[in-house]
Amino acid sequence: MLSYLHAFHAGNYADVQKHAALTLALTMMQAKQSPIACFDTHAGSALYDLTSERARKTAEADGGIHRLWRVRQSLASADWQLMLDTLSRHTVDGSQLQSYPGSPAWLAELARPGDAVTAFELHPSEGRSLETWAVGAGVRVMQQDGLQGLLKRLPPAQPRLLTLIDPSYEIKDDYAQVADTLVRAWQKCRHGVYLIWYPILTSGLEKRLIDALEQGSVRKILRSEVMLDEPPERGMVGSGMLVVNPPWGFESRFEAMMKDLQGSARLGLTASQTWLVPE
Ligand code: SAM
């Protein structure tokens, strides 16, 4: 069962949080010269038209990247600049955003010649769009299960590892599977940086992932959450990121970025950050 299409959600507040974490982690890792293997286990189709029928149907980007773009000049953290510079190339005349890069496009944008980017996508039509986009982007596309695919490729040939795990959580079992995959991946590559996105739901289903990791063996897990100040009665009320082995200094820089999203004049979110599991 694969019915989720990210085009309905691209550029929402969860993407803002997720791609801020991804771009900050990768650029901080690139402070050292050694090559990085980047894996995107649930890649989507890479590039999203914000004017498409799908995007306009939910208008989720209005509460996310469009709002960030409107307030871009008042953001306190200098770490937004990299995302903003990239986004400026997704406007028609430098003002209105027309398209939004998904996670493989952010990775392709930032990867250096020695870094390797591998993107997994299981949905047939999303996988085909991803393949078409990837021609010339320097990204290896694998149309297969991202969690199993990741485990098969660890440890990577490159000395360092960055992994984004961003499932659609269409199946309740996904939460336990993500926790299990992280443990197995970490056993194969303990120094890797792993970013895991999860929705915060009124049903509380995401606690399956959080509880499993809190009681598990993986160390050094930073937990960031942004909650909607005006949440819906049911469904997704916030967005969470877990960052295993964040680069040194990431904690305070990412916290500052998330603080920029707070309040009704910004993205209408309240941000919090703690260590789910310390070192
Ligand atoms: N990471 C993307 C981004 O940030 O732009 C968004 C990904 S979207 C939340 C999740 C994607 O995972 C969907 O495109 C879905 O088709 C895909 N997917 C679902 N199950 C999968 C699996 N087992 N392996 C790989 N991809 C899968």
Side-chain angles (χ1 to χ4, degrees), residues 2 4 6 15 18-19 40-44 48 102-104 120-123 126 144-146 164 166-168 170:
L2 279 174
Y4 178 95
H6 198 60
D15 266 5
K18 180 197 311 171
H19 297 147
D40 189 347
T41 60
H42 298 73
Y48 301 95
S103 49
F120 298 93
E121 173 55 50
L122 199 55
H123 191 290
E126 293 293 89
Q144 57 181 252
D145 180 87
L164 173 66
D166 178 26
S168 34
E170 287 171 272

Side-chain angles (χ1 to χ4, degrees), residues 4-273:
Y4 178 95
L5 289 170
H6 198 60
F8 288 101
H9 312 284
N12 65 6
Y13 68 95
D15 266 5
V16 172
Q17 182 202 30
K18 180 197 311 171
H19 297 147
L22 183 67
T23 54
L24 181 64
L26 181 53
T27 50
M28 290 186 77
M29 289 173 76
Q30 288 172 333
K32 288 184 193 157
Q33 279 188 346
S34 46
I36 305 166
C38 303
F39 289 99
D40 189 347
T41 60
H42 298 73
S45 58
L47 202 56
Y48 301 95
D49 179 358
L50 294 176
T51 67
S52 72
E53 207 175 306
R54 287 174 177 173
R56 293 316 307 154
K57 187 167 180 190
T58 58
E60 286 191 23
D62 291 359
I65 202 62
H66 284 309
R67 269 174 94 163
L68 187 84
W69 187 247
R70 259 202 318 276
V71 301
R72 63 192 179 281
Q73 268 145 12
S74 64
L75 298 169
S77 165
D79 284 319
W80 289 109
Q81 201 51 51
L82 184 100
M83 276 181 83
L84 296 175
D85 288 347
T86 301
L87 287 173
S88 67
R89 295 199 296 280
H90 290 264
T91 61
V92 166
D93 53 6
S95 59
Q96 187 70 16
L97 284 174
Q98 298 290 309
S99 53
Y100 184 73
S103 49
W106 287 109
L107 290 172
E109 171 79 23
L110 299 174
R112 303 163 301 180
D115 299 333
V117 181
T118 305
F120 298 93
E121 173 55 50
L122 199 55
H123 191 290
S125 66
E126 293 293 89
R128 278 194 298 277
S129 305
L130 182 64
E131 285 268 18
T132 307
W133 165 84
V135 174
V139 172
R140 190 159 65 132
V141 172
M142 315 294 292
Q143 294 195 40
Q144 57 181 252
D145 180 87
L147 297 180
Q148 285 173 23
L150 171 71
L151 290 175
K152 273 193 211 137
R153 283 163 187 82
L154 296 185
Q158 293 73 12
R160 290 186 305 144
L161 168 72
L162 173 72
T163 297
L164 173 66
I165 301 179
D166 178 26
S168 34
Y169 296 102
E170 287 171 272
I171 305 163
K172 286 181 186 170
D173 196 39
D174 282 350
Y175 296 95
Q177 254 196 46
V178 168
D180 179 59
T181 303
L182 178 67
V183 172
R184 291 165 62 196
W186 183 77
Q187 281 162 351
K188 288 174 171 232
C189 191
R190 288 196 179 212
H191 64 273
V193 176
Y194 301 88
L195 305 175
I196 298 170
W197 180 81
Y198 60 94
I200 302 170
L201 303 168
T202 47
S203 64
L205 265 179
E206 75 281 3
K207 290 194 176 69
R208 294 180 184 191
L209 167 68
I210 301 299
D211 292 351
L213 293 180
E214 198 167 24
Q215 291 150 24
S217 53
V218 180
R219 310 304 304 167
K220 220 177 165 190
I221 310 179
L222 188 67
R223 176 189 194 176
S224 159
E225 293 193 339
V226 289
M227 302 294 295
L228 285 169
D229 292 337
E230 291 178 22
E233 269 177 36
R234 284 173 53 188
M236 188 169 123
V237 292
S239 165
M241 282 301 296
L242 300 173
V243 186
V244 180
N245 291 328
W248 189 84
F250 177 95
E251 187 184 351
S252 57
R253 285 170 66 173
F254 190 59
E255 191 170 33
M257 289 180 89
M258 293 302 99
K259 286 226 166 87
D260 268 333
L261 307 180
Q262 297 197 122
S264 55
R266 299 290 179 77
L267 266 69
L269 298 166
T270 297
S272 63
Q273 191 172 282

